[in-house]
Amino acid sequence: MSDIDAGREKKKLMSAKKMRDIMTTYYIEAKSAEQNGKKVAWITSGGPVEPLIAMDVIPVYPENHGAMIGASKMGGEFCEKAETLGYSIDLCSYARADIGCSIVGGGPVGGLPRPDMLICCNNICGTVMKWYEIQARYYDVPLFIFDTPFCHAGYHDEVKTYVRRQIDEYILFLEGLCGKSFDLDRMEEVGRLSVEAQKLWQAVLDTARNRPSPMTCFDAFFFLALIVTLRGTQVTVDFYRELLAEMEERAAAGIGAVPRERYRLLWDNLPIWYRIKWLSDAFASHDASLVADTYTSAWCGQLKYMDENNFLDSMAEGYTRIYLNIGVDEMIAIILEMIDRYDVDGFVMHSNRSCKPYSLGQYDIQRAVQRERGLPSMIIESHMVDDRSFSESQAETRIDAFMEVIKERKK
Ligand code: SF4
């Protein structure tokens, strides 16, 4: 190893193993749910999971599974299977991978456990509505649709009343399927744990304000799994408390995720799951650290609307005003705030053909970032799970050119 490589060697994060162990236990429990008399609900990534936890239903996330399929470089195979069934190549690659895997079986965890019910919240996109309808027919199980109107400009009383009413319907749906009453005291405890976990996740992400940053967005993509899948549980709170301690320790010791961090960047959109390491290495070779991203911060961005002492009422607003359910102007305000908060030198946008709601406004956002902060930006194109869509040589050329601009500005 050369001196340069040695200087750039990345120190391993101790929490990574613990996180893998927790996720393994979680999937084993989900897969043995039927033997243990438990029910399984498939739920969308932005869906209100806390009532499921309060009812002892195991939540399973096809999108988290899609991420694992992508990271295992199996996305192309499953997406292709869905395409042979007539699904368009332009469809979200999470949906294509999930539909393909349901039929073929296998995958990184041997497929998902059969659902007893599906919970679809359309706060992330419209794709999930059709996707979950298809899966409800395929598995012949009930589907609950939690409808969150798009917030073009703020939040209104009519929306608040409409969404709040659906929480009651959601509870009735769960009571009917689980054959037991909803326990409001248990819900209160789950809500408190959910808010606590989100605060800890925000604190973990904020350790990236240190120079050098102890973590990159590529680490955040990995450590995100628990705040997505098991919000509202003690194990999640305990894990993020430990992760925060590890990050703070690294920051205090001056250990950077990119050891010679000279440039700090902000990532926009979902990860390109099958090229995480490649992208991490490509930017690190320029001493650039992607210190923050708009994706993982979405699982704590609603804290300002959440009230742990009135969780059920406040979650109506929290789940409606999530990042993908707001207008571009509000997105721009969030991104500008992140640029200042993490003190970044440039903006890397993943134009993700899978995810239209995330990608459609990006050119407006790019112009606003240039106008308001004068920051250079670059765009990488792909589908986040379908590895047939990515060109390493094109991405490498763009990263090199972009980093030249960043370096020139910092001279
Ligand atoms: S279109 Fe976007 S938000 Fe919708 S499921 Fe796919 S990746 Fe998620």
PDB file of all heavy atoms in Angstrom, residues 11-23 201 204 214-215 219 222-224 226 235 238-250:
ATOM      1  N   LYS A  11     -11.133   3.909   8.587  1.00  0.00           N
ATOM      2  CA  LYS A  11     -11.266   3.124   9.817  1.00  0.00           C
ATOM      3  C   LYS A  11     -12.665   2.494   9.858  1.00  0.00           C
ATOM      4  O   LYS A  11     -13.656   3.130   9.541  1.00  0.00           O
ATOM      5  CB  LYS A  11     -11.098   4.039  11.027  1.00  0.00           C
ATOM      6  CG  LYS A  11      -9.731   4.702  11.115  1.00  0.00           C
ATOM      7  CD  LYS A  11      -8.831   3.928  12.046  1.00  0.00           C
ATOM      8  CE  LYS A  11      -7.479   4.579  12.277  1.00  0.00           C
ATOM      9  NZ  LYS A  11      -6.834   5.209  11.166  1.00  0.00           N
ATOM     10  N   LYS A  12     -12.697   1.232  10.267  1.00  0.00           N
ATOM     11  CA  LYS A  12     -13.982   0.514  10.294  1.00  0.00           C
ATOM     12  C   LYS A  12     -14.901   1.035  11.390  1.00  0.00           C
ATOM     13  O   LYS A  12     -14.459   1.384  12.484  1.00  0.00           O
ATOM     14  CB  LYS A  12     -13.705  -0.969  10.540  1.00  0.00           C
ATOM     15  CG  LYS A  12     -13.223  -1.688   9.320  1.00  0.00           C
ATOM     16  CD  LYS A  12     -13.804  -3.117   9.265  1.00  0.00           C
ATOM     17  CE  LYS A  12     -13.690  -3.715   7.891  1.00  0.00           C
ATOM     18  NZ  LYS A  12     -12.323  -3.854   7.427  1.00  0.00           N
ATOM     19  N   LEU A  13     -16.169   1.069  11.104  1.00  0.00           N
ATOM     20  CA  LEU A  13     -17.144   1.481  12.110  1.00  0.00           C
ATOM     21  C   LEU A  13     -17.586   0.244  12.892  1.00  0.00           C
ATOM     22  O   LEU A  13     -18.061  -0.732  12.316  1.00  0.00           O
ATOM     23  CB  LEU A  13     -18.357   2.125  11.431  1.00  0.00           C
ATOM     24  CG  LEU A  13     -18.077   3.507  10.834  1.00  0.00           C
ATOM     25  CD1 LEU A  13     -19.154   3.890   9.836  1.00  0.00           C
ATOM     26  CD2 LEU A  13     -17.994   4.543  11.945  1.00  0.00           C
ATOM     27  N   MET A  14     -17.419   0.314  14.225  1.00  0.00           N
ATOM     28  CA  MET A  14     -17.736  -0.831  15.071  1.00  0.00           C
ATOM     29  C   MET A  14     -19.227  -1.177  15.023  1.00  0.00           C
ATOM     30  O   MET A  14     -19.620  -2.330  15.153  1.00  0.00           O
ATOM     31  CB  MET A  14     -17.348  -0.541  16.533  1.00  0.00           C
ATOM     32  CG  MET A  14     -15.885  -0.165  16.728  1.00  0.00           C
ATOM     33  SD  MET A  14     -14.783  -1.428  16.092  1.00  0.00           S
ATOM     34  CE  MET A  14     -15.042  -2.721  17.282  1.00  0.00           C
ATOM     35  N   SER A  15     -20.058  -0.150  14.856  1.00  0.00           N
ATOM     36  CA  SER A  15     -21.507  -0.379  14.904  1.00  0.00           C
ATOM     37  C   SER A  15     -22.022  -1.166  13.705  1.00  0.00           C
ATOM     38  O   SER A  15     -23.161  -1.638  13.734  1.00  0.00           O
ATOM     39  CB  SER A  15     -22.242   0.961  14.968  1.00  0.00           C
ATOM     40  OG  SER A  15     -21.802   1.705  16.066  1.00  0.00           O
ATOM     41  N   ALA A  16     -21.208  -1.276  12.665  1.00  0.00           N
ATOM     42  CA  ALA A  16     -21.702  -1.940  11.441  1.00  0.00           C
ATOM     43  C   ALA A  16     -22.087  -3.387  11.718  1.00  0.00           C
ATOM     44  O   ALA A  16     -23.127  -3.869  11.252  1.00  0.00           O
ATOM     45  CB  ALA A  16     -20.650  -1.863  10.347  1.00  0.00           C
ATOM     46  N   LYS A  17     -21.269  -4.081  12.500  1.00  0.00           N
ATOM     47  CA  LYS A  17     -21.565  -5.494  12.769  1.00  0.00           C
ATOM     48  C   LYS A  17     -22.857  -5.615  13.584  1.00  0.00           C
ATOM     49  O   LYS A  17     -23.715  -6.451  13.322  1.00  0.00           O
ATOM     50  CB  LYS A  17     -20.396  -6.157  13.501  1.00  0.00           C
ATOM     51  CG  LYS A  17     -20.669  -7.619  13.726  1.00  0.00           C
ATOM     52  CD  LYS A  17     -19.633  -8.332  14.538  1.00  0.00           C
ATOM     53  CE  LYS A  17     -19.997  -9.790  14.807  1.00  0.00           C
ATOM     54  NZ  LYS A  17     -21.322 -10.041  15.261  1.00  0.00           N
ATOM     55  N   LYS A  18     -22.971  -4.733  14.569  1.00  0.00           N
ATOM     56  CA  LYS A  18     -24.166  -4.776  15.419  1.00  0.00           C
ATOM     57  C   LYS A  18     -25.435  -4.557  14.567  1.00  0.00           C
ATOM     58  O   LYS A  18     -26.440  -5.235  14.746  1.00  0.00           O
ATOM     59  CB  LYS A  18     -24.060  -3.709  16.507  1.00  0.00           C
ATOM     60  CG  LYS A  18     -25.244  -3.689  17.406  1.00  0.00           C
ATOM     61  CD  LYS A  18     -24.908  -3.280  18.803  1.00  0.00           C
ATOM     62  CE  LYS A  18     -26.056  -3.724  19.699  1.00  0.00           C
ATOM     63  NZ  LYS A  18     -25.935  -3.262  21.021  1.00  0.00           N
ATOM     64  N   MET A  19     -25.332  -3.614  13.678  1.00  0.00           N
ATOM     65  CA  MET A  19     -26.475  -3.315  12.813  1.00  0.00           C
ATOM     66  C   MET A  19     -26.834  -4.531  11.944  1.00  0.00           C
ATOM     67  O   MET A  19     -28.011  -4.876  11.807  1.00  0.00           O
ATOM     68  CB  MET A  19     -26.084  -2.133  11.931  1.00  0.00           C
ATOM     69  CG  MET A  19     -26.935  -1.973  10.762  1.00  0.00           C
ATOM     70  SD  MET A  19     -28.115  -0.708  10.985  1.00  0.00           S
ATOM     71  CE  MET A  19     -28.764  -0.796   9.372  1.00  0.00           C
ATOM     72  N   ARG A  20     -25.816  -5.197  11.405  1.00  0.00           N
ATOM     73  CA  ARG A  20     -26.085  -6.398  10.591  1.00  0.00           C
ATOM     74  C   ARG A  20     -26.768  -7.467  11.433  1.00  0.00           C
ATOM     75  O   ARG A  20     -27.703  -8.124  10.998  1.00  0.00           O
ATOM     76  CB  ARG A  20     -24.767  -6.954  10.031  1.00  0.00           C
ATOM     77  CG  ARG A  20     -24.362  -6.276   8.761  1.00  0.00           C
ATOM     78  CD  ARG A  20     -23.269  -7.031   8.001  1.00  0.00           C
ATOM     79  NE  ARG A  20     -22.705  -6.106   7.042  1.00  0.00           N
ATOM     80  CZ  ARG A  20     -21.605  -5.398   7.242  1.00  0.00           C
ATOM     81  NH1 ARG A  20     -20.923  -5.534   8.355  1.00  0.00           N
ATOM     82  NH2 ARG A  20     -21.176  -4.558   6.320  1.00  0.00           N
ATOM     83  N   ASP A  21     -26.295  -7.631  12.691  1.00  0.00           N
ATOM     84  CA  ASP A  21     -26.884  -8.649  13.578  1.00  0.00           C
ATOM     85  C   ASP A  21     -28.352  -8.334  13.854  1.00  0.00           C
ATOM     86  O   ASP A  21     -29.201  -9.213  13.840  1.00  0.00           O
ATOM     87  CB  ASP A  21     -26.116  -8.709  14.913  1.00  0.00           C
ATOM     88  CG  ASP A  21     -24.717  -9.286  14.724  1.00  0.00           C
ATOM     89  OD1 ASP A  21     -24.469  -9.870  13.647  1.00  0.00           O
ATOM     90  OD2 ASP A  21     -23.877  -9.133  15.636  1.00  0.00           O
ATOM     91  N   ILE A  22     -28.638  -7.046  14.105  1.00  0.00           N
ATOM     92  CA  ILE A  22     -30.030  -6.665  14.408  1.00  0.00           C
ATOM     93  C   ILE A  22     -30.914  -6.939  13.191  1.00  0.00           C
ATOM     94  O   ILE A  22     -32.017  -7.473  13.305  1.00  0.00           O
ATOM     95  CB  ILE A  22     -30.124  -5.176  14.826  1.00  0.00           C
ATOM     96  CG1 ILE A  22     -29.392  -4.948  16.152  1.00  0.00           C
ATOM     97  CG2 ILE A  22     -31.576  -4.741  14.956  1.00  0.00           C
ATOM     98  CD1 ILE A  22     -29.262  -3.484  16.565  1.00  0.00           C
ATOM     99  N   MET A  23     -30.414  -6.585  12.009  1.00  0.00           N
ATOM    100  CA  MET A  23     -31.220  -6.788  10.799  1.00  0.00           C
ATOM    101  C   MET A  23     -31.422  -8.281  10.507  1.00  0.00           C
ATOM    102  O   MET A  23     -32.492  -8.696  10.050  1.00  0.00           O
ATOM    103  CB  MET A  23     -30.560  -6.102   9.589  1.00  0.00           C
ATOM    104  CG  MET A  23     -30.653  -4.587   9.604  1.00  0.00           C
ATOM    105  SD  MET A  23     -32.342  -3.955   9.739  1.00  0.00           S
ATOM    106  CE  MET A  23     -33.005  -4.266   8.104  1.00  0.00           C
ATOM    107  N   TRP A 201     -31.169   9.830  15.433  1.00  0.00           N
ATOM    108  CA  TRP A 201     -30.728   9.727  14.027  1.00  0.00           C
ATOM    109  C   TRP A 201     -30.278  11.107  13.527  1.00  0.00           C
ATOM    110  O   TRP A 201     -29.243  11.238  12.870  1.00  0.00           O
ATOM    111  CB  TRP A 201     -31.861   9.150  13.174  1.00  0.00           C
ATOM    112  CG  TRP A 201     -31.544   9.019  11.709  1.00  0.00           C
ATOM    113  CD1 TRP A 201     -32.218   9.565  10.672  1.00  0.00           C
ATOM    114  CD2 TRP A 201     -30.464   8.270  11.116  1.00  0.00           C
ATOM    115  NE1 TRP A 201     -31.648   9.213   9.473  1.00  0.00           N
ATOM    116  CE2 TRP A 201     -30.568   8.421   9.717  1.00  0.00           C
ATOM    117  CE3 TRP A 201     -29.412   7.491  11.631  1.00  0.00           C
ATOM    118  CZ2 TRP A 201     -29.667   7.830   8.827  1.00  0.00           C
ATOM    119  CZ3 TRP A 201     -28.503   6.908  10.734  1.00  0.00           C
ATOM    120  CH2 TRP A 201     -28.642   7.074   9.366  1.00  0.00           C
ATOM    121  N   VAL A 204     -26.938  11.773  14.965  1.00  0.00           N
ATOM    122  CA  VAL A 204     -25.892  10.997  14.265  1.00  0.00           C
ATOM    123  C   VAL A 204     -25.513  11.732  12.970  1.00  0.00           C
ATOM    124  O   VAL A 204     -24.328  11.968  12.692  1.00  0.00           O
ATOM    125  CB  VAL A 204     -26.392   9.563  13.941  1.00  0.00           C
ATOM    126  CG1 VAL A 204     -25.452   8.874  12.961  1.00  0.00           C
ATOM    127  CG2 VAL A 204     -26.522   8.736  15.216  1.00  0.00           C
ATOM    128  N   PRO A 214     -16.892  12.451  10.648  1.00  0.00           N
ATOM    129  CA  PRO A 214     -16.652  11.038  10.996  1.00  0.00           C
ATOM    130  C   PRO A 214     -17.443  10.067  10.130  1.00  0.00           C
ATOM    131  O   PRO A 214     -17.224   8.858  10.200  1.00  0.00           O
ATOM    132  CB  PRO A 214     -17.121  10.959  12.452  1.00  0.00           C
ATOM    133  CG  PRO A 214     -18.133  12.045  12.596  1.00  0.00           C
ATOM    134  CD  PRO A 214     -17.680  13.154  11.676  1.00  0.00           C
ATOM    135  N   MET A 215     -18.392  10.578   9.346  1.00  0.00           N
ATOM    136  CA  MET A 215     -19.177   9.687   8.493  1.00  0.00           C
ATOM    137  C   MET A 215     -19.496  10.378   7.158  1.00  0.00           C
ATOM    138  O   MET A 215     -19.416  11.606   7.054  1.00  0.00           O
ATOM    139  CB  MET A 215     -20.483   9.285   9.187  1.00  0.00           C
ATOM    140  CG  MET A 215     -21.439  10.444   9.420  1.00  0.00           C
ATOM    141  SD  MET A 215     -22.927   9.941  10.350  1.00  0.00           S
ATOM    142  CE  MET A 215     -23.794   8.975   9.117  1.00  0.00           C
ATOM    143  N   ASP A 219     -22.114   5.937   4.592  1.00  0.00           N
ATOM    144  CA  ASP A 219     -22.343   5.296   5.891  1.00  0.00           C
ATOM    145  C   ASP A 219     -23.803   5.471   6.299  1.00  0.00           C
ATOM    146  O   ASP A 219     -24.437   4.544   6.813  1.00  0.00           O
ATOM    147  CB  ASP A 219     -21.440   5.922   6.969  1.00  0.00           C
ATOM    148  CG  ASP A 219     -19.969   5.746   6.644  1.00  0.00           C
ATOM    149  OD1 ASP A 219     -19.573   4.612   6.324  1.00  0.00           O
ATOM    150  OD2 ASP A 219     -19.222   6.750   6.686  1.00  0.00           O
ATOM    151  N   PHE A 222     -26.183   3.066   4.837  1.00  0.00           N
ATOM    152  CA  PHE A 222     -26.147   1.753   5.494  1.00  0.00           C
ATOM    153  C   PHE A 222     -26.899   1.790   6.827  1.00  0.00           C
ATOM    154  O   PHE A 222     -27.740   0.932   7.112  1.00  0.00           O
ATOM    155  CB  PHE A 222     -24.680   1.342   5.704  1.00  0.00           C
ATOM    156  CG  PHE A 222     -24.529   0.075   6.496  1.00  0.00           C
ATOM    157  CD1 PHE A 222     -24.786  -1.164   5.906  1.00  0.00           C
ATOM    158  CD2 PHE A 222     -24.154   0.110   7.830  1.00  0.00           C
ATOM    159  CE1 PHE A 222     -24.663  -2.340   6.641  1.00  0.00           C
ATOM    160  CE2 PHE A 222     -24.024  -1.057   8.568  1.00  0.00           C
ATOM    161  CZ  PHE A 222     -24.276  -2.285   7.972  1.00  0.00           C
ATOM    162  N   PHE A 223     -26.605   2.802   7.636  1.00  0.00           N
ATOM    163  CA  PHE A 223     -27.174   2.839   8.991  1.00  0.00           C
ATOM    164  C   PHE A 223     -28.643   3.289   9.022  1.00  0.00           C
ATOM    165  O   PHE A 223     -29.273   3.297  10.085  1.00  0.00           O
ATOM    166  CB  PHE A 223     -26.323   3.750   9.889  1.00  0.00           C
ATOM    167  CG  PHE A 223     -25.010   3.131  10.263  1.00  0.00           C
ATOM    168  CD1 PHE A 223     -23.815   3.695   9.849  1.00  0.00           C
ATOM    169  CD2 PHE A 223     -24.967   1.978  11.019  1.00  0.00           C
ATOM    170  CE1 PHE A 223     -22.599   3.122  10.180  1.00  0.00           C
ATOM    171  CE2 PHE A 223     -23.756   1.391  11.364  1.00  0.00           C
ATOM    172  CZ  PHE A 223     -22.569   1.960  10.944  1.00  0.00           C
ATOM    173  N   LEU A 224     -29.159   3.634   7.865  1.00  0.00           N
ATOM    174  CA  LEU A 224     -30.548   4.080   7.767  1.00  0.00           C
ATOM    175  C   LEU A 224     -31.561   2.966   8.053  1.00  0.00           C
ATOM    176  O   LEU A 224     -32.684   3.230   8.512  1.00  0.00           O
ATOM    177  CB  LEU A 224     -30.759   4.598   6.332  1.00  0.00           C
ATOM    178  CG  LEU A 224     -32.143   4.993   5.885  1.00  0.00           C
ATOM    179  CD1 LEU A 224     -32.537   6.313   6.540  1.00  0.00           C
ATOM    180  CD2 LEU A 224     -32.183   5.148   4.363  1.00  0.00           C
ATOM    181  N   LEU A 226     -32.439   0.783  10.167  1.00  0.00           N
ATOM    182  CA  LEU A 226     -33.243   0.625  11.404  1.00  0.00           C
ATOM    183  C   LEU A 226     -34.261   1.736  11.580  1.00  0.00           C
ATOM    184  O   LEU A 226     -35.378   1.475  12.031  1.00  0.00           O
ATOM    185  CB  LEU A 226     -32.322   0.583  12.624  1.00  0.00           C
ATOM    186  CG  LEU A 226     -31.733  -0.770  12.983  1.00  0.00           C
ATOM    187  CD1 LEU A 226     -31.037  -0.700  14.327  1.00  0.00           C
ATOM    188  CD2 LEU A 226     -32.800  -1.829  13.024  1.00  0.00           C
ATOM    189  N   VAL A 235     -34.936  -1.365  20.671  1.00  0.00           N
ATOM    190  CA  VAL A 235     -33.671  -1.798  20.068  1.00  0.00           C
ATOM    191  C   VAL A 235     -33.130  -0.706  19.127  1.00  0.00           C
ATOM    192  O   VAL A 235     -31.906  -0.479  19.050  1.00  0.00           O
ATOM    193  CB  VAL A 235     -33.851  -3.167  19.346  1.00  0.00           C
ATOM    194  CG1 VAL A 235     -34.682  -3.046  18.087  1.00  0.00           C
ATOM    195  CG2 VAL A 235     -32.529  -3.793  19.017  1.00  0.00           C
ATOM    196  N   ASP A 238     -31.668   2.130  21.321  1.00  0.00           N
ATOM    197  CA  ASP A 238     -30.376   1.717  21.906  1.00  0.00           C
ATOM    198  C   ASP A 238     -29.282   1.717  20.851  1.00  0.00           C
ATOM    199  O   ASP A 238     -28.158   2.160  21.094  1.00  0.00           O
ATOM    200  CB  ASP A 238     -30.495   0.308  22.520  1.00  0.00           C
ATOM    201  CG  ASP A 238     -31.425   0.302  23.720  1.00  0.00           C
ATOM    202  OD1 ASP A 238     -31.732   1.393  24.238  1.00  0.00           O
ATOM    203  OD2 ASP A 238     -31.865  -0.792  24.110  1.00  0.00           O
ATOM    204  N   PHE A 239     -29.633   1.239  19.643  1.00  0.00           N
ATOM    205  CA  PHE A 239     -28.618   1.171  18.600  1.00  0.00           C
ATOM    206  C   PHE A 239     -28.127   2.568  18.215  1.00  0.00           C
ATOM    207  O   PHE A 239     -26.913   2.817  18.116  1.00  0.00           O
ATOM    208  CB  PHE A 239     -29.155   0.452  17.351  1.00  0.00           C
ATOM    209  CG  PHE A 239     -28.169   0.495  16.231  1.00  0.00           C
ATOM    210  CD1 PHE A 239     -27.067  -0.343  16.231  1.00  0.00           C
ATOM    211  CD2 PHE A 239     -28.281   1.422  15.205  1.00  0.00           C
ATOM    212  CE1 PHE A 239     -26.103  -0.261  15.233  1.00  0.00           C
ATOM    213  CE2 PHE A 239     -27.337   1.513  14.205  1.00  0.00           C
ATOM    214  CZ  PHE A 239     -26.249   0.658  14.219  1.00  0.00           C
ATOM    215  N   TYR A 240     -29.050   3.493  17.998  1.00  0.00           N
ATOM    216  CA  TYR A 240     -28.613   4.823  17.557  1.00  0.00           C
ATOM    217  C   TYR A 240     -27.880   5.584  18.658  1.00  0.00           C
ATOM    218  O   TYR A 240     -27.021   6.422  18.372  1.00  0.00           O
ATOM    219  CB  TYR A 240     -29.789   5.628  16.984  1.00  0.00           C
ATOM    220  CG  TYR A 240     -30.176   5.135  15.600  1.00  0.00           C
ATOM    221  CD1 TYR A 240     -31.444   4.660  15.334  1.00  0.00           C
ATOM    222  CD2 TYR A 240     -29.238   5.109  14.566  1.00  0.00           C
ATOM    223  CE1 TYR A 240     -31.783   4.182  14.070  1.00  0.00           C
ATOM    224  CE2 TYR A 240     -29.569   4.629  13.306  1.00  0.00           C
ATOM    225  CZ  TYR A 240     -30.830   4.165  13.065  1.00  0.00           C
ATOM    226  OH  TYR A 240     -31.142   3.680  11.813  1.00  0.00           O
ATOM    227  N   ARG A 241     -28.202   5.249  19.906  1.00  0.00           N
ATOM    228  CA  ARG A 241     -27.445   5.887  20.997  1.00  0.00           C
ATOM    229  C   ARG A 241     -25.975   5.432  20.923  1.00  0.00           C
ATOM    230  O   ARG A 241     -25.059   6.231  21.050  1.00  0.00           O
ATOM    231  CB  ARG A 241     -28.081   5.500  22.343  1.00  0.00           C
ATOM    232  CG  ARG A 241     -27.654   6.414  23.463  1.00  0.00           C
ATOM    233  CD  ARG A 241     -28.439   6.185  24.727  1.00  0.00           C
ATOM    234  NE  ARG A 241     -29.746   6.808  24.694  1.00  0.00           N
ATOM    235  CZ  ARG A 241     -30.868   6.213  25.108  1.00  0.00           C
ATOM    236  NH1 ARG A 241     -30.838   4.989  25.553  1.00  0.00           N
ATOM    237  NH2 ARG A 241     -32.013   6.871  25.070  1.00  0.00           N
ATOM    238  N   GLU A 242     -25.780   4.138  20.681  1.00  0.00           N
ATOM    239  CA  GLU A 242     -24.408   3.611  20.567  1.00  0.00           C
ATOM    240  C   GLU A 242     -23.702   4.164  19.329  1.00  0.00           C
ATOM    241  O   GLU A 242     -22.521   4.505  19.373  1.00  0.00           O
ATOM    242  CB  GLU A 242     -24.444   2.077  20.476  1.00  0.00           C
ATOM    243  CG  GLU A 242     -24.576   1.417  21.830  1.00  0.00           C
ATOM    244  CD  GLU A 242     -24.598  -0.098  21.724  1.00  0.00           C
ATOM    245  OE1 GLU A 242     -23.856  -0.660  20.896  1.00  0.00           O
ATOM    246  OE2 GLU A 242     -25.374  -0.716  22.468  1.00  0.00           O
ATOM    247  N   LEU A 243     -24.443   4.230  18.239  1.00  0.00           N
ATOM    248  CA  LEU A 243     -23.833   4.752  17.005  1.00  0.00           C
ATOM    249  C   LEU A 243     -23.417   6.215  17.194  1.00  0.00           C
ATOM    250  O   LEU A 243     -22.328   6.625  16.767  1.00  0.00           O
ATOM    251  CB  LEU A 243     -24.830   4.626  15.846  1.00  0.00           C
ATOM    252  CG  LEU A 243     -24.370   5.154  14.483  1.00  0.00           C
ATOM    253  CD1 LEU A 243     -23.130   4.415  13.987  1.00  0.00           C
ATOM    254  CD2 LEU A 243     -25.498   5.032  13.445  1.00  0.00           C
ATOM    255  N   LEU A 244     -24.277   6.973  17.862  1.00  0.00           N
ATOM    256  CA  LEU A 244     -23.954   8.382  18.115  1.00  0.00           C
ATOM    257  C   LEU A 244     -22.679   8.494  18.950  1.00  0.00           C
ATOM    258  O   LEU A 244     -21.791   9.312  18.650  1.00  0.00           O
ATOM    259  CB  LEU A 244     -25.133   9.064  18.827  1.00  0.00           C
ATOM    260  CG  LEU A 244     -24.927  10.521  19.230  1.00  0.00           C
ATOM    261  CD1 LEU A 244     -24.651  11.404  18.021  1.00  0.00           C
ATOM    262  CD2 LEU A 244     -26.157  11.061  19.989  1.00  0.00           C
ATOM    263  N   ALA A 245     -22.583   7.648  19.981  1.00  0.00           N
ATOM    264  CA  ALA A 245     -21.378   7.678  20.839  1.00  0.00           C
ATOM    265  C   ALA A 245     -20.139   7.369  19.997  1.00  0.00           C
ATOM    266  O   ALA A 245     -19.088   8.014  20.145  1.00  0.00           O
ATOM    267  CB  ALA A 245     -21.540   6.680  21.980  1.00  0.00           C
ATOM    268  N   GLU A 246     -20.261   6.392  19.099  1.00  0.00           N
ATOM    269  CA  GLU A 246     -19.107   6.032  18.260  1.00  0.00           C
ATOM    270  C   GLU A 246     -18.721   7.191  17.337  1.00  0.00           C
ATOM    271  O   GLU A 246     -17.539   7.513  17.179  1.00  0.00           O
ATOM    272  CB  GLU A 246     -19.411   4.775  17.438  1.00  0.00           C
ATOM    273  CG  GLU A 246     -18.191   4.334  16.635  1.00  0.00           C
ATOM    274  CD  GLU A 246     -18.393   3.045  15.841  1.00  0.00           C
ATOM    275  OE1 GLU A 246     -19.495   2.477  15.855  1.00  0.00           O
ATOM    276  OE2 GLU A 246     -17.408   2.636  15.198  1.00  0.00           O
ATOM    277  N   MET A 247     -19.703   7.831  16.752  1.00  0.00           N
ATOM    278  CA  MET A 247     -19.422   8.953  15.848  1.00  0.00           C
ATOM    279  C   MET A 247     -18.811  10.135  16.619  1.00  0.00           C
ATOM    280  O   MET A 247     -17.881  10.789  16.132  1.00  0.00           O
ATOM    281  CB  MET A 247     -20.702   9.401  15.133  1.00  0.00           C
ATOM    282  CG  MET A 247     -21.215   8.429  14.122  1.00  0.00           C
ATOM    283  SD  MET A 247     -20.006   8.078  12.833  1.00  0.00           S
ATOM    284  CE  MET A 247     -20.866   6.791  11.943  1.00  0.00           C
ATOM    285  N   GLU A 248     -19.345  10.386  17.804  1.00  0.00           N
ATOM    286  CA  GLU A 248     -18.808  11.514  18.597  1.00  0.00           C
ATOM    287  C   GLU A 248     -17.363  11.240  19.023  1.00  0.00           C
ATOM    288  O   GLU A 248     -16.521  12.141  19.028  1.00  0.00           O
ATOM    289  CB  GLU A 248     -19.697  11.755  19.823  1.00  0.00           C
ATOM    290  CG  GLU A 248     -21.003  12.460  19.435  1.00  0.00           C
ATOM    291  CD  GLU A 248     -21.964  12.626  20.592  1.00  0.00           C
ATOM    292  OE1 GLU A 248     -21.834  11.903  21.594  1.00  0.00           O
ATOM    293  OE2 GLU A 248     -22.871  13.487  20.468  1.00  0.00           O
ATOM    294  N   GLU A 249     -17.110   9.974  19.340  1.00  0.00           N
ATOM    295  CA  GLU A 249     -15.743   9.578  19.714  1.00  0.00           C
ATOM    296  C   GLU A 249     -14.782   9.788  18.534  1.00  0.00           C
ATOM    297  O   GLU A 249     -13.682  10.328  18.699  1.00  0.00           O
ATOM    298  CB  GLU A 249     -15.780   8.096  20.079  1.00  0.00           C
ATOM    299  CG  GLU A 249     -14.804   7.672  21.150  1.00  0.00           C
ATOM    300  CD  GLU A 249     -15.082   6.223  21.521  1.00  0.00           C
ATOM    301  OE1 GLU A 249     -16.041   5.964  22.267  1.00  0.00           O
ATOM    302  OE2 GLU A 249     -14.338   5.369  21.023  1.00  0.00           O
ATOM    303  N   ARG A 250     -15.218   9.378  17.373  1.00  0.00           N
ATOM    304  CA  ARG A 250     -14.384   9.549  16.170  1.00  0.00           C
ATOM    305  C   ARG A 250     -14.153  11.037  15.884  1.00  0.00           C
ATOM    306  O   ARG A 250     -13.044  11.443  15.529  1.00  0.00           O
ATOM    307  CB  ARG A 250     -15.056   8.898  14.951  1.00  0.00           C
ATOM    308  CG  ARG A 250     -15.001   7.388  14.964  1.00  0.00           C
ATOM    309  CD  ARG A 250     -15.972   6.794  13.976  1.00  0.00           C
ATOM    310  NE  ARG A 250     -15.604   7.096  12.599  1.00  0.00           N
ATOM    311  CZ  ARG A 250     -14.897   6.279  11.814  1.00  0.00           C
ATOM    312  NH1 ARG A 250     -14.485   5.120  12.272  1.00  0.00           N
ATOM    313  NH2 ARG A 250     -14.600   6.624  10.584  1.00  0.00           N
TER     314      ARG A 250
END
